[in-house]
Amino acid sequence: MAERFVNFEKDGAIGVVTLRRPEKFNALDIPMLRALEAALDDAELAESVRVVLIRGEGKGFCAGGDVEAWGAMSAADFQVQWVRYGHRVFDRLARLRQPTIAVLSGHALGGGLELAAACDFRVAETQIKLGFPETSIGVVPGWSGTQRAVRRFGAQIVRRMAIGGEIFLAVDAFAHGIVDRLVETGKAFDEAKTWAEKIAERGPLATEAAKLMIGVAEGEEDAAATEALASGFIAMSADLKAGVGAFKAKQKPAFSRS
């Protein structure tokens, strides 16, 4: 059932997560968010996958949150079921162990741009538009558009979109560093896949560690990153094997610091 809304598939070392609601320009509702979270879990558990692409089916990348999905919610439900849950899913994407590339072959507005911002890289086609139009209907960006987007794109650029109402064409978004690569219409997926294949050739553990450490510096990661890096280091030691073996044998371990 989840694959009806979001699909995950493997292509060698590349994983592809596809939003599948083209009739709504892949606008997100609760079932879509749940399916996206499940697809990201599948991607992280796929040991052979070294880079993950995020794309939208049809003409849009993602039109953001579906107004019909949240418009009738109570204030309490809007806060918890919509904003906080959306944050959890987007944080899941931002902290995926593999590098991620957003394939922007269609507009990325509101929550769609927040989704793209949660990826490590963005490849955009020249015809697309990007922005945070939420204040035009009386709401604010709620899935890290005023937080992660500021860290990644800069406060003034986000002010221009979220407060000033500017919608950037892809060429302007590229000039401002909102997107990393600019390609002709119809070329985004091929460009992203070629880039992903080059990334996949690099040392996978080093790449994952570099992403984690950059996340710490950026404020994306927290104390869990320190414990993950330290635990990974320890897991490769003879001391761990000695300790676990001794525990199972109910003996005192003989550590070698190696």
Side-chain angles (χ1 to χ4, degrees):
M1 178 63 75
E3 289 189 356
R4 176 181 147 202
F5 301 109
V6 180
N7 183 55
F8 168 70
E9 52 190 351
K10 295 182 286 185
D11 183 1
I14 312 303
V16 182
V17 173
T18 305
L19 306 181
R20 304 182 63 193
R21 201 183 181 201
E23 71 281 3
K24 284 276 193 174
F25 296 98
N26 301 310
L28 299 168
D29 56 11
I30 295 299
M32 283 275 285
L33 287 170
R34 287 175 179 155
L36 176 58
E37 187 175 31
L40 295 173
D41 287 342
D42 289 342
E44 183 140 271
L45 290 172
E47 292 186 9
S48 62
V49 171
R50 297 187 179 183
V51 184
V52 176
L53 308 185
I54 310 292
R55 68 175 179 176
E57 187 176 282
K59 295 182 179 180
F61 170 68
C62 179
D66 187 345
V67 177
E68 294 180 2
W70 59 261
M73 286 184 175
S74 68
D77 287 344
F78 182 72
Q79 177 188 11
V80 177
Q81 294 184 23
W82 188 255
V83 176
R84 289 180 65 86
Y85 181 56
H87 256 278
R88 188 177 91 185
V89 177
F90 282 30
D91 287 349
R92 183 75 181 90
L93 172 58
R95 295 170 187 173
L96 204 67
R97 67 174 176 85
Q98 302 101 328
T100 53
I101 303 175
V103 182
L104 306 181
S105 56
H107 301 330
L109 300 168
L113 181 51
E114 290 170 314
L115 181 67
C119 294
D120 295 298
F121 306 107
R122 286 151 291 282
V123 175
E125 294 181 2
T126 53
Q127 81 281 3
I128 76 160
K129 297 177 181 179
L130 306 94
F132 290 128
E134 287 91 337
T135 55
S136 68
I137 60 170
V139 294
V140 295
W143 290 336
S144 74
T146 62
Q147 306 301 310
R148 178 178 293 116
V150 167
R151 295 197 300 269
R152 300 200 167 177
F153 307 145
Q156 195 60 24
I157 291 298
V158 175
R159 281 192 185 96
R160 288 173 61 179
M161 292 188 287
I163 299 174
E166 289 189 52
I167 300 295
F168 288 119
L169 297 175
V171 65
D172 298 316
F174 177 69
H176 291 305
I178 301 172
V179 300
D180 301 287
R181 295 194 179 183
L182 189 64
V183 296
E184 296 176 1
T185 300
K187 301 292 187 181
F189 183 76
D190 290 342
E191 176 70 17
K193 187 177 179 183
T194 298
W195 193 3
E197 288 169 347
K198 291 180 179 178
I199 294 172
E201 292 174 353
R202 308 178 76 83
L205 291 178
T207 298
E208 290 175 23
K211 173 174 176 171
L212 194 59
M213 290 188 292
I214 292 168
V216 172
E218 190 182 35
E220 186 67 65
E221 294 283 358
D222 52 21
T226 301
E227 294 183 350
L229 288 169
S231 296
F233 170 75
I234 293 299
M236 293 185 288
S237 71
D239 278 358
L240 177 66
K241 294 179 182 178
V244 172
F247 175 82
K248 290 180 177 179
K250 297 183 179 180
Q251 298 174 350
K252 185 177 181 179
F255 294 123
S256 61
R257 198 175 178 270
S258 63

